[in-house]
């Protein structure tokens, strides 16, 4: 009966999805990522090298023979070593039965042999445009990940055990979860990554006290309450990425960068970007520069009564800050005394896997989607793109947990934030993708904003650049190339971990490590060879650098008593708007 209930729940959900989709216009392109031409080129190169194909096939056949011989010896009672093992950190095969049960062990190893062979075949092909090859590699990895035996009920031992233990109730719960995710996605599957009802912005995330002291169409500027009797005279203004909400900097009190900075005696301002509606579809990169960086810095200057501020740009917010600094230098104005960049790129020649989503064919498909959405790209589309970069961790693990095991996702504030993406205005987003990812115009000195041609070499203020060793969005090599474009003194630091954990690593956690070096040689490899490794967070190293550029100590500033009248309490209203 439970199997029947599960089947009916699945059929009902799929039927509802089909009815909802019937009213939508059909996609104009069956291949929006433009993979087919690249795949055709790769296959053509392989076909032109029959000797290589024969060797590859012979190698695969040999590996399969080794697997079957190993399996036969194991069935006869011998102890045998695996022919192939999952990569370190691969959690798909964590259940003991993947190794202890001979049948599942053969399924696992057979899959690994085949997927490794397919991915290796593409990786080894030569004579293909590097970007086309990289696109095929990325989507081949997505394909082989999708066909993992862990993603199917009949070949997942943990899911089968759960079905038996619950008499099929796990499948009923799984299909109910499936239906709920379709409902939440408006007829498109939106896999839940956490218990979204457990988190409330301003109540148990984004709780640092403060006031919104400035608001325009683009930002709310939050000034946070001091926690020390005295503060450094030069305030700090942080510009996070506008693709995400700012509260990655303030998830919990124990890992809040905002709270940690105020404890260091820093007056902290943070720009909370608007979640744009179609009315803001024509906002430009220049608008975000003027109404974001320029306006935010000016408001903080007025509030604190100082001639300049220090600034931080995180990820895409750092790219905007870089361009704005070059614009300021060209105009001979200097409201920003020093700049820090978290995982931000200026040179996109070696950008991460997001580069694969920026060829012209995909941009045309993206523009079509934004036109359908009234001139904005949905937050769900942005979330899907980022999830695809780490599909096993951010898609398939939840597919298995929610649907095959029938479990509810655990409450996790980071994943709540990860799902809380903002919409993208069409004009701004296409400009960013074309000019930075497509043309690399800022690094080449070819970017023009407000009629001003920008040159990062004109930026002479002190700069601190943070990168992360395992960052797949802003790779350390790409960040390093950007650091060398500035014309003033640059301090470069590399943190352990990735794009988020590498940045948000409170010292109290005592996790990971970081590397520092006083020099900035031509290549990242040379820098790494000379760098010193230090256990733990990089925040204290940055704080020492920042404090040296923050002036003398003055009485702490109450956000409610400055020249600018508070608009509302932190975290403001913009951050609460869901996509």
């Amino acid at each position: 009966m439970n199997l029947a209930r599960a089947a009916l729940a699945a059929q009902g959900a799929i039927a509802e999805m089909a009815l909802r989709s019937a009213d939508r216009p059909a996609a104009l392109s069956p291949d929006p990522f433009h993979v087919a031409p690249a795949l055709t080129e790769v296959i053509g190169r392989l076909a032109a090298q029959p000797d290589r194909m024969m060797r590859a096939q012979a190698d695969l056949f040999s590996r399969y023979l080794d697997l079957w011989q190993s399996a036969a010896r194991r069935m006869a009672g011998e102890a045998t070593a695996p022919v192939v093992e999952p990569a370190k950190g691969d959690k798909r095969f964590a259940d003991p039965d993947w190794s202890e049960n001979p049948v599942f062990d053969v399924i696992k190893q057979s899959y690994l042999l085949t997927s490794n062979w397919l991915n290796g075949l593409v990786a080894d092909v030569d004579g293909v445009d590097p970007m086309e090859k990289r696109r095929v590699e990325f989507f081949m990895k997505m394909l082989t990940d999708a066909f993992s035996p862990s993603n199917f009920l009949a070949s997942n031992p943990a899911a089968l055990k759960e079905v038996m233990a619950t008499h099929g109730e796990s499948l009923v719960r799984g299909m109910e979860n499936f239906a709920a995710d379709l409902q939440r996605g408006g007829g498109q599957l939106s896999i839940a990554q956490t218990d979204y009802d457990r988190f409330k912005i301003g109540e148990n995330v984004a709780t640092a006290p403060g006031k919104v002291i400035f608001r325009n169409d683009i930002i709310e500027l939050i000034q946070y309450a001091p926690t020390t009797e005295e503060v450094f005279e030069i305030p700090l203004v942080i510009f996070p990425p506008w693709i995400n909400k700012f509260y990655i900097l303030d998830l919990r009190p124990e890992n809040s960068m905002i709270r940690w900075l105020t404890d260091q005696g820093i007056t902290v301002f943070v720009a909370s970007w608007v979640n744009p509606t179609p009315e803001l579809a024509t906002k430009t990169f220049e608008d975000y520069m003027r109404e974001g960086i320029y306006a935010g810095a000016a408001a903080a200057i007025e509030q604190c009564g100082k001639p300049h501020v220090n600034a931080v740009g995180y990820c895409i917010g750092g790219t905007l800050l870089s361009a704005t600094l070059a614009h300021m230098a060209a105009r001979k104005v200097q409201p920003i005394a020093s700049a820090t960049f978290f995982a931000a790129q200026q040179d996109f020649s070696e950008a991460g896997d997001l580069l694969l989503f920026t060829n012209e064919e995909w941009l045309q498909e993206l523009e079509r989607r934004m036109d359908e959405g009234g001139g904005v790209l949905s937050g769900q589309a942005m979330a899907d793109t980022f999830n695809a970069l780490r599909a096993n961790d951010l898609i398939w693990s939840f597919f298995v947990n929610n649907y095959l095991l029938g479990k509810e996702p655990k409450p996790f504030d980071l994943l709540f934030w990860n799902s809380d993406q903002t919409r993208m205005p069409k004009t701004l987003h296409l400009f960013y993708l074309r000019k930075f990812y497509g043309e690399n115009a800022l690094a080449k000195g070819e970017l023009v904003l407000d009629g001003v041609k920008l040159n990062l070499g004109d930026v002479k203020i002190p700069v601190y650049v943070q990168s992360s060793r395992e960052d797949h969005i802003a790779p350390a090599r790409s960040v390093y190339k950007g650091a060398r474009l500035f014309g003033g003194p640059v301090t470069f630091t590399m943190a352990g971990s990735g794009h988020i954990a590498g940045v948000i690593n409170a010292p109290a956690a005592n996790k990971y490590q970081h590397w520092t070096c006083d020099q900035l040689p031509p290549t990242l490899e040379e820098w790494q060879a000379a760098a010193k490794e230090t256990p733990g967070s990089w925040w204290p190293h940055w704080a020492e650098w920042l404090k040296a550029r923050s002036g003398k100590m003055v009485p702490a500033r109450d956000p409610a008593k400055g020249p600018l009248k508070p608009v509302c309490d932190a975290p403001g209203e913009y951050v609460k708007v869901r996509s």
Side-chain angles (χ1 to χ4, degrees), residues 175-191:
M175 293 307 98
E176 289 173 348
N177 290 341
F178 176 68
D181 287 348
L182 280 175
Q183 180 73 26
R184 192 180 68 258
Q188 295 180 324
L189 188 61
S190 177
I191 303 177

Side-chain angles (χ1 to χ4, degrees), residues 407-452:
K407 296 182 178 180
E408 297 295 329
K410 297 178 181 178
F412 190 11
D413 51 11
L414 179 61
L415 290 175
F416 172 77
W417 168 84
N418 185 64
S419 69
D420 194 10
Q421 304 275 348
T422 62
R423 292 175 287 265
M424 292 293 103
K426 173 182 173 180
T427 304
L428 165 75
H429 198 49
L430 290 178
F431 179 91
Y432 169 68
L433 293 177
R434 285 195 169 104
K435 289 297 181 181
F436 291 91
Y437 276 97
E439 300 175 18
N440 200 20
L442 180 61
K444 294 177 180 178
E446 299 171 356
L447 186 67
V448 176
L449 295 180
D450 275 344
V452 177

Side-chain angles (χ1 to χ4, degrees), residues 473-489:
I473 293 175
R477 185 188 303 276
S478 178
V479 175
Y480 189 81
K481 292 183 75 170
R484 287 178 47 81
L485 296 175
F486 293 101

Side-chain angles (χ1 to χ4, degrees), residues 9-21:
Q11 290 170 9
I14 292 171
E16 183 178 353
M17 178 177 64
L19 288 172
R20 289 189 180 215
S21 299

